[in-house]
């Protein structure tokens, strides 16, 4: 089996038979996705505590590279809602410069994961953890937008949950009616716009229906501020003008002490970026009946996260909403994602000054919709249908994501998942002597032989059951036969327990025999030296042979 990584972007697989029709579909889809991405890129950056152009730079640079080098045909990359809470927390705690260093280092980590072919391991994360932290992030995104949605007079919104809630409650009396009107209008536009023109037969109706609701909301809010001279916070008043072009290539200063200091945010960005991108790629696979290469995708994500900060951007990953838009708009190959990035670049070069009048209230309304759409709220209703372990892991991950951070939430979620799995596996493991009826049915007549059947997995969580059959107070048989025909897994702790059992029996002048061992359990016993210790003659293919055998 070849385990070496082979760098081969999915783009190369499509270029061989690429047709003019493919190009037409990709250009059309890419432009559509670029228009959809425009307000989202700025909104995600602002919500993360960064200037709006940082979101545009990320969408352009990272979006192009993820499509050019990725392992998915239709995935669109860029700034994502899942990163808002993480980035905001890092910016507040470590500063923007250290965010850039963390993102670059996280990119290196993702490349290493991909080159080591560990991309498939991401799928081992339980769905309860994924739903828990996704819903938690959605709640935090919504809370992060309350200030701009209501127009609260708060200079700096804290990142910590309880402190943030206290500040919001203390500032509710400063809410601005004009700001609320703009944000509610934007939210309603995004929610109802596609539905309001659904089913229209006229050419005008069909053209209008193709416009994304986010773009319509952005245009309406900007026009309202411009024409009515509304006194609300805008991109221009909060951040100044958006530059018409990418910033110069800049490499931040690295040193080992800084990297060690940023170890936690590096791992958080790498983990979240890897999980989000591969989950997004799986969604794309289900819609297009294709299959992505998770390792190539992670390498592309790593390249993008290294490059984006060098051009004024921040962390990026696969984005479900834009990927689904790309598929529905007819995108067929990674060229569509590259066109999406170029579309944003053209818009920024030609229309950046127009963004000055974009109200933050409009962007907050759009993000409120993103937060609601991001959460899988039905899962809370369905919790009663699942096991206690599933409910505990999901709720714990959700609550910890909201009140602490994603890293702690996922760590605790994984620990709980392991504990429940170990508990479950230990309850499925059975170590029990054969009953009199079973001995009669198998023709075991010798009274000096005790047969113990071991079923399931003999691992560190279940060895107490094996230890119970050789306690000092019980009468030892002359021969103990362990029936391993139903044993499916054995670990080194289980081998240690077998060794102790063998020694205890030997001290009492008794003999240990193993029957029916095969596959992984037999391999572990051979590699650990247990077979050599007790001798090949103690192993038998069947239980009958083990019970009928008479020494020398």
């Amino acid at each position: 089996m070849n385990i070496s990584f082979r760098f081969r972007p999915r783009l190369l697989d499509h270029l061989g038979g690429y047709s003019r029709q493919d190009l037409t579909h990709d250009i059309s889809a890419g432009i559509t996705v670029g228009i959809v991405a425009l307000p989202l890129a700025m909104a995600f950056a602002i919500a993360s505590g960064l200037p709006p152009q940082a979101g545009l730079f990320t969408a352009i640079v990272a979006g192009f590279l993820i499509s050019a080098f990725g392992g998915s045909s239709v995935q669109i990359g860029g700034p994502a809602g899942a990163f808002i809470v993480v980035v905001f927390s890092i910016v507040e705690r470590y500063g923007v410069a250290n965010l850039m260093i963390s993102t670059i280092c996280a990119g290196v980590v993702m490349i290493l994961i991909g080159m080591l072919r560990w991309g498939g391991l991401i799928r081992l994360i339980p769905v309860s953890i994924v739903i828990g932290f996704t819903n938690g992030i959605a709640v935090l995104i919504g809370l992060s937008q309350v200030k701009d949605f209501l127009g609260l007079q708060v200079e700096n919104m804290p990142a910590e949950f309880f402190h943030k809630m206290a500040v919001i409650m203390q500032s509710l009396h400063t809410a601005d009616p004009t700001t609320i009107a703009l944000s509610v209008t934007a939210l309603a536009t995004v929610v109802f716009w596609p539905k309001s023109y659904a089913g229209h037969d006229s050419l005008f109706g069909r053209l209008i229906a193709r416009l994304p609701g986010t773009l319509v909301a952005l245009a309406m809010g900007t026009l309202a501020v411009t024409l009515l001279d509304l006194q609300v916070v805008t991109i221009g008043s909060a951040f100044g003008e958006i530059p018409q072009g990418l910033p110069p290539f800049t490499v931040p200063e690295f040193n080992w002490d800084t990297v060690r200091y940023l170890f936690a945010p590096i791992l958080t960005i790498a983990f979240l970026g890897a999980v989000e991108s591969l989950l997004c790629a799986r969604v794309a696979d289900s819609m297009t009946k294709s299959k992505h290469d998770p390792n190539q995708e992670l390498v592309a994500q790593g390249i993008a996260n290294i490059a984006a900060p060098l051009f004024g951007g921040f962390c990026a990953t696969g984005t479900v909403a834009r990927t689904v838009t790309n598929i529905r708009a007819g995108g067929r190959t990674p060229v569509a994602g590259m066109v999406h990035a170029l579309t944003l670049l053209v818009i920024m070069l030609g229309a950046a000054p127009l963004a000055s009048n974009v109200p933050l209230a409009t962007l907050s309304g759009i993000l409120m919709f993103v937060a609601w759409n991001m959460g899988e709220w039905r899962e809370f209703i369905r919790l009663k249908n699942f096991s206690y372990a599933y409910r505990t892991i999901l709720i714990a991950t959700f609550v910890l994501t909201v009140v602490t951070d994603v890293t702690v939430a996922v760590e605790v979620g994984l620990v709980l998942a392991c504990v429940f799995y170990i508990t479950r596996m230990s309850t499925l493991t059975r170590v029990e002597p054969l009953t009199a009826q079973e001995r009669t049915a198998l023709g075991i007549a010798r009274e000096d032989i005790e047969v113990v059947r071991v079923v399931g997995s003999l691992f560190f969580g279940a060895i107490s059951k094996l230890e119970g059959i050789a306690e000092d107070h019980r009468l030892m048989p002359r021969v103990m036969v362990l029936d391993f025909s139903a044993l499916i897994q054995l670990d080194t702790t289980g081998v240690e327990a077998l060794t102790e059992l063998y020694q205890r029996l030997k001290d009492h002048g008794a003999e240990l025999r193993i029957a029916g061992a095969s596959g992984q359990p037999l391999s572990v016993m051979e590699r650990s030296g247990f077979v050599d210790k007790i001798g090949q003659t103690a192993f038998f293919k069947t239980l009958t042979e083990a019970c009928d055998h008479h020494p020398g």
Side-chain angles (χ1 to χ4, degrees):
M1 183 177 66
N2 182 19
I3 60 173
S4 61
F5 173 75
R6 178 175 177 239
F7 184 83
R8 184 173 178 81
R10 188 55 55 88
L11 177 64
L12 298 179
D13 297 333
H14 289 282
L15 292 182
Y18 199 69
S19 65
R20 180 177 297 179
Q21 188 179 30
D22 291 332
L23 179 61
T24 301
H25 280 85
D26 286 340
I27 290 176
S28 175
I31 293 173
T32 300
V33 178
I35 293 172
V36 171
L38 177 66
L40 294 177
M42 292 190 295
F44 290 153
I46 293 171
S48 301
L50 300 169
Q53 59 265 30
L56 294 175
F57 299 155
T58 305
I60 293 169
V61 177
F64 187 91
L65 294 174
I66 288 171
S67 293
F69 298 117
S72 172
S73 297
V74 292
Q75 175 152 274
I76 303 295
F83 274 127
I84 289 176
V85 179
V86 172
V87 173
F88 186 88
S89 177
I90 293 173
V91 169
E92 184 185 62
R93 188 177 304 173
Y94 301 98
V96 175
N98 285 329
L99 168 66
M100 303 310 161
I101 294 174
S102 299
T103 303
I104 293 172
C105 292
V108 174
V109 172
M110 284 190 269
I111 290 177
L112 291 176
I113 293 174
M115 294 185 69
L116 291 171
R117 298 178 64 85
W118 291 351
L121 296 179
I122 301 297
R123 298 184 180 182
L124 300 181
I125 299 174
V127 67
S128 53
I129 294 178
V130 175
I131 293 173
F133 81 70
T134 300
N135 284 7
I137 289 172
V139 169
L140 291 175
I141 291 174
L143 285 175
S144 72
Q145 295 309 299
V146 171
K147 172 180 176 289
D148 291 332
F149 194 90
L150 301 178
L152 302 181
Q153 301 300 309
V154 179
E155 185 173 350
N156 291 308
M157 184 64 73
E160 197 272 324
F161 173 74
F162 295 107
H163 192 188
K164 180 182 295 182
M165 291 298 298
V167 170
I168 289 174
M169 296 304 295
Q170 293 168 6
S171 306
L172 284 177
H173 67 281
T174 66
D176 177 47
T178 304
T179 300
I180 295 174
L182 282 171
S183 55
V184 170
T185 301
L187 177 59
T189 301
V190 177
V191 172
F192 296 110
W193 179 264
K195 300 175 183 178
S196 61
Y197 282 91
H200 270 235
D201 295 327
S202 66
L203 177 61
F204 176 76
R206 291 197 299 272
L207 289 174
I208 290 296
R210 288 181 64 88
L211 287 175
T214 52
L215 183 65
V216 175
L218 188 72
M220 289 174 59
T222 305
L223 284 174
V225 170
T226 303
L227 298 178
L228 302 178
D229 193 26
L230 300 179
Q231 299 303 306
V232 294
V233 181
T234 64
I235 286 178
S237 64
F239 304 100
E241 290 189 359
I242 293 178
Q244 290 182 275
L246 294 176
F249 180 86
T250 305
V251 179
E253 293 185 9
F254 281 86
N255 61 70
W256 177 239
D257 290 336
T258 301
V259 172
R260 286 194 303 171
Y261 171 66
L262 299 172
F263 191 69
I266 288 171
L267 291 185
T268 301
I269 293 172
F271 169 79
L272 195 55
V275 171
E276 285 292 313
S277 63
L278 296 185
L279 287 177
C280 178
R282 290 175 65 181
V283 171
D285 287 350
S286 66
M287 295 181 67
T288 59
K289 309 302 179 186
S290 60
K291 188 175 182 180
H292 73 284
D293 180 347
N295 298 305
Q296 181 64 47
E297 186 61 34
L298 287 179
V299 170
Q301 297 288 340
I303 293 172
N305 278 280
I306 291 173
L310 301 179
F311 290 96
F314 59 107
C315 39
T317 186
T319 58
V320 175
R322 277 159 275 175
T323 297
V324 171
T325 300
N326 181 40
I327 296 170
R328 290 176 177 171
R332 298 182 177 182
T333 76
V335 173
M338 297 161 71
V339 171
H340 131 268
L342 295 175
T343 299
L344 284 170
L345 178 60
V346 170
I347 293 174
M348 190 175 69
L349 292 175
L354 299 178
S356 294
N357 283 342
V358 173
L360 298 190
T362 296
L363 294 178
S364 71
I366 293 172
L367 282 180
M368 282 292 190
F369 176 77
V370 170
W372 175 259
N373 221 30
M374 180 180 178
E376 298 184 48
W377 312 113
R378 290 188 180 89
E379 290 300 312
F380 288 117
I381 300 174
R382 297 175 59 227
L383 277 179
K384 62 180 182 296
N385 300 328
F386 295 100
S387 66
Y388 171 79
Y390 182 94
R391 295 196 300 268
T392 302
I393 294 169
L394 192 153
I395 293 174
T397 307
F398 170 76
V399 172
L400 288 173
T401 299
V402 173
V403 301
T404 58
D405 61 56
V406 175
T407 306
V408 173
V410 172
E411 288 172 352
V412 173
L414 287 173
V415 169
L416 286 174
C418 291
V419 169
F420 283 123
Y421 177 77
I422 292 169
T423 303
R424 178 60 177 161
M425 288 298 295
S426 65
T427 59
L428 294 176
T429 299
R430 290 186 288 116
V431 179
E432 52 194 19
L434 294 189
T435 63
Q437 292 83 355
E438 290 173 324
R439 290 173 63 91
T440 301
L442 292 171
I444 303 174
R446 291 178 56 185
E447 296 295 332
D448 60 346
I449 291 181
E450 180 178 355
V451 179
V452 178
R453 180 182 290 122
V454 183
V455 180
S457 178
L458 192 57
F459 70 115
F460 63 90
I463 59 169
S464 59
K465 297 184 178 182
L466 183 65
E467 294 168 346
I469 66 173
E471 295 176 347
D472 292 332
H473 66 271
R474 72 188 298 265
L475 182 64
M476 292 295 176
R478 180 175 176 275
V479 178
M480 179 176 286
V481 179
L482 297 181
D483 181 7
F484 277 4
S485 58
L487 181 66
I488 59 175
Q489 191 266 338
L490 176 70
D491 70 357
T492 53
T493 306
V495 173
E496 287 295 323
L498 288 174
T499 303
E500 291 179 9
L501 174 63
Y502 163 74
Q503 192 61 49
R504 184 165 296 182
L505 289 169
K506 185 178 179 181
D507 293 342
H508 286 80
E511 179 185 353
L512 176 65
R513 298 177 185 177
I514 307 293
S518 63
Q520 190 269 350
L522 180 59
S523 175
V524 171
M525 287 187 285
E526 289 174 340
R527 288 185 283 111
S528 65
F530 181 72
V531 173
D532 295 333
K533 184 176 183 63
I534 70 173
Q536 290 279 358
T537 56
F539 285 79
F540 300 86
K541 290 184 177 180
T542 66
L543 180 60
T544 301
E545 291 178 7
C547 293
D548 291 344
H549 177 73
H550 292 273

